[in-house]
Structures are given as C-alpha cells and as structure tokens.
Amino acid sequence: QFVPIAEQSGLMRQLTTLVIRKVAAQIRRWAQRGIDIKVSANLSTIDLADAALPDRITAILREHGVPVDRLQLEITESALMTDADGANSVLERLRAAGFRLSIDDFGTGYSSLSYLARLPIQGLKIDQRFIHGIERNRNDETITQAIIALAHSLGLRCIAEGVESRAQIDFLRRHGCEEAQGFLI
C-alpha cells in the first residue's frame, strides 16, 4: 500500500534516494566490520522513468565509499511492463555503471518472454509463493524448476526468495539455483 501512495504523491524519487543512502551506509558499516555482503534494493515504476537515477545512485555509493557490485537492484515484472522501452533505457545505463539487475517476484506477472531476453538484467528472482509450495505442491516444484531452467537458458543467475527450510534449499541446490534469501539464511 505504501509504495503506490509514495508514487502517486510524487515522493518516490526522494524515498528511493533515502533508501539507497541508508543501504549504502549499512553496507559501509558491515564492510568496516569485515562483513562482505551484497544487498538488494527494489526500484519502482517511477524510478525506471527517472533518467537521472543511474547517476544519483552511483554518486550515493561513491559518497559512502561502497563499490557498485555490493548493491543489486531489483525490478518487479509489473514495473517493467508499465513502460518497457523507457525502463530499458534506465536499466541499460544502470548495467553500464556496473549494477547487477534482477527481476523480482518472477512468475507472478505477465512479462513477455521475448522482451525478457532483451532486457539488460543478470538475474531472475523466483517469487516466494513458489518456494513455499516446494514441499507440498508438485505444480510449485515444476514452476520453480522451469524458472531456474529459463534463467539459465538466458544466461541469467537464479535467486530464490523466501527460503525457510532445509528441504527448500536442498531442492533449489539440486536444480541449480545459485542464490537464495529468506529466514533459513
């Protein structure tokens, strides 16, 4: 509910800037403690229409002394489909700046597979609804396997969100999913 209100009220740019600043500061604090970790942040539909976004995010990271490869940017399928051509321009510039880009909640939207192959992304993130069903639902297992296979066939990394059990992580490893996040981790 919060993000659409921020978008409609014209506050999304400021919110994204604040979030990226907070993330950059946290990454720096962790690095100072010897913790080398990548952090993901989501971008909204409004962000993908902002031509100044790549330069602004790069400047924030530079200001905090954080390498670009420590921040992964995630975009939902629905945000991409709102203005695919405009989004692609911003995404190309983000990728050229060295950011890793992933589609978040993959499998829940209506993205065109032909368009997916042309996006400057490096990963697909499997929606947690499919991960939660792995132990109980053959359809969720099949969809998860298909998303992993699709990602790999396009030369993309696969990320699973919402991993909560050993059985889920074992299933994902067996099927070649490279990254996971969730309460288990």
Side-chain angles (χ1 to χ4, degrees), residues 83-126:
D83 176 16
D85 292 330
N88 201 33
S89 172
V90 171
L91 293 174
E92 288 283 359
R93 291 186 50 231
L94 287 166
R95 183 173 180 178
F99 290 99
R100 225 173 114 204
L101 307 169
S102 295
I103 296 180
D104 192 18
D105 300 333
F106 188 77
T108 61
Y110 305 99
S111 57
S112 161
L113 294 179
S114 65
Y115 190 74
L116 180 63
R118 292 180 282 160
L119 288 171
I121 59 171
Q122 290 85 25
L124 291 182
K125 190 172 182 184
I126 306 169

